[in-house]
Amino acid sequence: MYSDRVNRGEKLSNVKLTSVQYGILIMMLALGAGLWRLQVLGADNFRMLAEQNRIRKVPVLAARGKLFDRDGRLLVDNYPSVSCFLVREQGHSVDADLPLIARGLNLDLEQLRATLRHYRAAPGYQPIPIKQDITADEQAFIEAHRNELPELETIDEERRLYPRDGFAAHLIGYVGEVSEEDLNQSRYAAYEPGDVVGKAGVEETYDELLRGQDGSRDVIVDSHGREVGYLRTQHAIPGQDLKLTIDIDLQRVAELALGDANGAVVAMDPRNGEILAMVSHPSYDPNAFAVRINRTDWNQLITNPNHPLMNKAIQDQLAPGSTFKIIMSAAGLQEGVAQDMRVNCAGGGTFYGRFFHCDRHHGVLSIQQAIPLSCDTFFYALAQRLGIDTIARYATGFGLGSKTGIDLPNEMAGIMPSTQWEMKNYHQRYYPGNTISVGIGQGETQVTPLQLARALSGIASNGHLVRPHVVEPAQLPAQFRTAVLDSFPGSGDKSVPLDPGTWMTITDGMAAATTTGTAAAAHLEGIDFAGKTGTAQVVGGGDTHVKGGARTPNSWFVGMVPRRNPELVVAVLQEHGDWGSNSARIAAQVVATYVDKQRKRDHNLMEQATVNKPVEVGAVWSEPRPAGHHAGKRDEASDDGALHAGHFMLDPDKTLGRVLSAASPKALGSGQLPLPAWFTHALPLRFRERLP
């Protein structure tokens, strides 16, 4: 009996022993699997985490591309700056350090806390910008408190330096920190909070090229977060420099000529669409945005009734006044209505049962006199005969009522009324009496200065209109250039067929406006300066001509040089500037500067001042026959004169003055050849003016 109990006890012990053994085996297998997972499968991950505990990645910010004018003169530069960031990788709360940080960096404590709350949802590895462009004293504070405040880091960066006094501010734009609203847009998908982006003008349109690509620096830190060395640096790639189309000299003259007046000036080359000057007043200082504009200054800008942030050259939509009469003239002549019109202006006229005033009694006049004298009565009658839809068809054909497609953000389209427009917007038929006001650029018609400049210069260019631009397209990558065209749709490059008689009549009329017409005070002796004034009443303004008053009409002028196929067009708008002749004087200053500058350039016929070898020129031209000469064979001479053909050499080293001062026949190169008509018409403006 005893032995049986002993045997049963021994059997129980063996079972327990086996269970313990299996339990130990399972535990060892589990421990081994865990070690395998940690040391083998997770080796790379934990090695990276360990590296991150001792290596901090510090961003190296790319310098933004610089901006130059058309002649390569620097417009927008960068200057070295230091910004302070707060790093949250130290494993401890920074809340207790905030009062000391605020005192040392001259920050408002509550504002600092608000900044940290703003970035609370951001990844922990992302540094938080707490102050930009810190002073030398603030840098010294950070260095002196390295041990106490290891979470503070400084980063060197290049900050924007803009021209003073808001020079070309609306065209250039400004930069600022990307906003939460921006980050919700697809175009900002690659940006992160704290990134600096272009906010207006060229800075916004070409931000992708200007901003460059940031780099980074791997810094070795100790257990307290203090830097003890460097591992590697990935250098930043600077942004692309851009050459703008503007001319600093013309821009400066336009800024000074407009003075303190509210309004805009646009100068453009209508042959290729290059913007040579763009002014909008009042302006603002973009340098205030280069760091971070404070709330008080921002509120002053956005609440200012004169809208200093608005680029009035492309965004101010106002009635064009009498400048619209050039559009009316083109429509009337093309439709065959205006050629034989004779209107008796007795200080106005009655249309649709209502008397419409003119500014004076002009008597009987044709379109040749109506354009330079800007007779309202004539264009009232013309508007009645054409009708609103015909007027609208020509106006929209010349680009009014649609964007031009300029490569600047937030361009406005303006308004060109028509029966369809009236029904779409007001659900009623168009009242014919409104056509009379539209005929002189009043009523619902609204244009921007750039639209008007492009339209009138297009008529002076025999119907050829171009897309304006402020950055030379040749320097842009092909894909980016296409993206810009797609992003800024507009009427773009186009041609509107014009009869030669229309072209000649209108351009001669605009030339007469600056000699004997409404812009005679802006006449430029020796310069083929043409244009059209406009005095547009403001809403509820009546006829009060007190310059600068709220009821004073807006003053317009669009001028060009020369009158046909112009090289330069200038549009001037003065809000509440009274008569259009006041704006004409401003445009005349810009035109005179342009012509004077062209005359002072190298006197090189072929515009090849850097080429020091003769240029071969070939041509065919005709000469009138002397009196009594009888025509020979038809294939040898035309009825109009003898045909000549040949080639000769022009020496660029010889100035135009020496070439053209020779006695007739003019000496070209080394030979004695007559100066044919084709040659004189091909000369640039500044050379044509010097011909005898």
Side-chain angles (χ1 to χ4, degrees):
M1 181 67 70
Y2 175 76
S3 62
D4 291 340
R5 287 198 299 269
V6 172
N7 289 336
R8 286 197 300 271
E10 290 176 353
K11 289 181 179 179
L12 186 61
S13 300
N14 289 334
V15 172
K16 290 181 178 180
L17 180 61
T18 301
S19 299
V20 171
Q21 289 174 342
Y22 277 109
I24 293 174
L25 178 61
I26 293 173
M27 291 175 61
M28 293 296 293
L29 290 175
L31 181 60
L35 292 174
W36 173 267
R37 182 177 61 84
L38 292 174
Q39 298 183 9
V40 179
L41 296 181
D44 293 339
N45 182 48
F46 287 104
R47 184 180 299 111
M48 183 182 66
L49 292 176
E51 287 291 325
Q52 289 180 346
N53 284 333
R54 70 184 187 92
I55 299 175
R56 178 185 301 157
K57 189 174 289 291
V58 178
V60 177
L61 304 181
R64 202 167 175 85
K66 300 178 182 180
L67 299 179
F68 299 86
D69 89 328
R70 65 187 297 108
D71 295 322
R73 292 172 290 185
L74 186 63
L75 264 176
V76 179
D77 200 357
N78 301 306
Y79 70 92
S81 175
V82 179
S83 294
C84 181
F85 288 76
L86 189 144
V87 181
R88 294 172 290 174
E89 297 179 289
Q90 308 307 322
H92 71 278
S93 175
V94 300
D95 292 343
D97 298 334
L98 294 183
L100 177 60
I101 294 174
R103 287 196 303 272
L105 297 181
N106 300 303
L107 293 171
D108 179 76
L109 179 57
E110 290 305 316
Q111 183 64 38
L112 178 59
R113 287 173 175 161
T115 301
L116 266 60
R117 287 194 298 269
H118 176 73
Y119 287 92
R120 181 175 297 166
Y125 60 82
Q126 179 182 323
I128 300 176
I130 58 175
K131 188 167 187 181
Q132 300 173 332
D133 206 24
I134 62 176
T135 65
D137 290 342
E138 292 164 346
Q139 294 182 53
F141 164 80
I142 295 173
E143 291 299 325
H145 293 80
R146 272 298 173 196
N147 293 334
E148 303 168 69
L149 304 172
E151 63 268 25
L152 293 185
E153 274 293 344
T154 58
I155 295 179
D156 296 330
E157 59 182 318
E158 297 285 326
R159 199 169 295 281
R160 262 328 201 203
L161 181 62
Y162 294 104
R164 295 183 300 173
D165 302 323
F167 183 84
H170 294 88
L171 183 145
I172 295 170
Y174 61 92
V175 294
E177 185 176 330
V178 63
S179 64
E180 292 183 4
E181 293 79 8
D182 293 336
L183 293 173
N184 293 328
Q185 302 178 27
S186 59
R187 61 174 294 192
Y188 294 101
Y191 294 79
E192 296 180 354
D195 284 348
V196 172
V197 298
K199 288 287 190 177
V202 171
E203 293 278 26
E204 180 176 337
T205 300
Y206 296 92
D207 181 72
E208 183 179 338
L209 297 180
L210 291 169
R211 73 186 304 258
Q213 183 176 340
D214 293 342
S216 62
R217 185 173 69 250
D218 293 339
V219 180
I220 303 174
V221 296
D222 60 16
S223 58
H224 297 287
R226 292 172 296 199
E227 297 183 6
V228 296
Y230 299 94
L231 275 183
R232 65 187 68 87
T233 299
Q234 180 181 354
H235 296 286
I237 301 175
Q240 178 181 333
D241 295 340
L242 291 178
K243 179 181 288 189
L244 307 185
T245 60
I246 69 168
D247 184 320
I248 286 181
D249 299 323
L250 261 65
Q251 181 74 24
R252 181 182 297 110
V253 169
E255 299 262 7
L256 294 174
L258 189 58
D260 296 330
N262 295 336
V265 178
V266 178
M268 183 181 76
D269 186 337
R271 299 169 299 181
N272 52 30
E274 293 180 351
I275 299 297
L276 304 182
M278 180 177 286
V279 180
S280 179
H281 281 180
S283 189
Y284 63 93
D285 184 7
N287 291 293
F289 295 88
V291 181
R292 179 180 289 177
I293 191 168
N294 60 61
R295 187 176 299 275
T296 300
D297 291 342
W298 173 251
N299 288 334
Q300 289 178 351
L301 287 174
I302 62 176
T303 58
N304 189 322
N306 292 320
H307 308 293
L309 292 178
M310 174 192 286
N311 185 351
K312 296 181 178 180
I314 63 173
Q315 293 178 302
D316 211 357
Q317 303 174 101
L318 297 169
S322 293
T323 57
F324 190 77
K325 293 172 182 175
I326 300 303
I327 305 291
M328 291 290 299
S329 299
L333 291 169
Q334 287 296 110
E335 292 294 308
V337 173
Q339 284 87 341
D340 299 324
M341 278 186 62
R342 297 293 184 273
V343 175
N344 181 23
C345 174
T350 302
F351 303 91
Y352 299 104
R354 176 186 167 191
F355 186 79
F356 290 82
H357 290 275
C358 185
D359 64 325
R360 62 188 61 189
H361 294 65
H362 292 105
V364 178
L365 24 60
S366 65
I367 192 169
Q368 285 80 4
Q369 293 86 42
I371 293 176
L373 296 178
S374 196
C375 176
D376 288 346
T377 308
F378 183 93
F379 289 97
Y380 291 150
L382 182 59
Q384 184 182 41
R385 296 186 63 177
L386 290 175
I388 187 61
D389 285 334
T390 300
I391 297 172
R393 176 160 54 87
Y394 280 93
T396 54
F398 288 111
L400 301 188
S402 62
K403 298 178 181 180
T404 66
I406 189 173
D407 51 341
L408 291 175
N410 304 316
E411 182 188 11
M412 302 303 291
I415 295 174
M416 186 59 230
S418 65
T419 55
Q420 183 180 2
W421 175 87
E422 187 81 14
M423 183 61 66
K424 178 180 178 181
N425 290 275
Y426 297 104
H427 308 290
Q428 62 185 20
R429 70 183 188 88
Y430 191 84
Y431 178 61
N434 293 339
T435 307
I436 306 304
S437 296
V438 171
I440 61 167
Q442 296 281 173
E444 302 95 337
T445 310
Q446 293 184 5
V447 301
T448 67
L450 179 60
Q451 277 182 325
L452 203 57
R454 179 172 174 266
L456 268 60
S457 65
I459 294 174
S461 300
N462 201 17
H464 177 62
L465 290 88
V466 294
R467 177 193 292 265
H469 58 274
V470 298
V471 171
E472 174 54 50
Q475 62 190 310
L476 305 176
Q479 187 175 0
F480 189 89
R481 185 164 61 246
T482 302
V484 169
L485 294 177
D486 294 340
S487 300
F488 298 94
S491 52
D493 295 349
K494 62 184 301 187
S495 292
V496 180
L498 290 179
D499 295 334
T502 299
W503 184 42
M504 302 287 284
T505 298
I506 293 176
T507 51
D508 287 344
M510 288 193 291
T514 61
T515 53
T516 59
T518 55
H523 176 67
L524 297 174
E525 191 65 34
I527 297 177
D528 188 15
F529 179 39
K532 184 70 188 76
T533 57
T535 304
Q537 293 183 6
V538 298
V539 177
D543 193 26
T544 302
H545 291 279
V546 180
K547 189 171 182 180
R551 298 177 59 193
T552 305
N554 295 321
S555 171
W556 286 93
F557 180 78
V558 179
M560 56 212 66
V561 58
R563 73 182 75 181
R564 284 188 273 275
N565 294 323
E567 298 179 13
L568 179 74
V569 58
V570 181
V572 178
L573 163 66
Q574 287 188 88
E575 295 178 352
H576 308 297
D578 206 3
W579 299 106
S581 56
N582 296 325
S583 292
R585 296 186 185 94
I586 295 175
Q589 295 181 53
V590 179
V591 168
T593 301
Y594 172 82
V595 173
D596 184 61
K597 185 171 182 178
Q598 295 297 96
R599 288 171 174 173
K600 289 180 179 178
R601 289 187 184 276
D602 294 337
H603 296 293
N604 187 328
L605 284 177
M606 307 306 295
E607 299 282 335
Q608 298 181 23
T610 59
V611 179
N612 294 318
K613 60 182 180 180
V615 180
E616 185 174 359
V617 179
V620 177
W621 67 94
S622 64
E623 292 290 330
R625 289 194 187 86
H629 180 81
H630 297 287
K633 297 181 180 180
R634 296 284 297 179
D635 59 350
E636 293 181 358
S638 68
D639 291 337
D640 295 328
L643 282 177
H644 299 272
H647 64 89
F648 47 90
M649 306 299 291
L650 293 180
D651 188 352
D653 290 335
K654 295 182 178 181
T655 66
L656 182 71
R658 290 169 57 192
V659 171
L660 297 183
S661 62
S664 180
K666 305 295 186 296
L668 294 177
S670 57
Q672 298 290 318
L673 289 178
L675 193 64
W678 69 266
F679 187 79
T680 60
H681 289 312
L683 288 175
L685 168 68
R686 61 183 182 276
F687 296 151
R688 267 183 280 161
E689 292 174 341
R690 302 178 61 178
L691 293 174

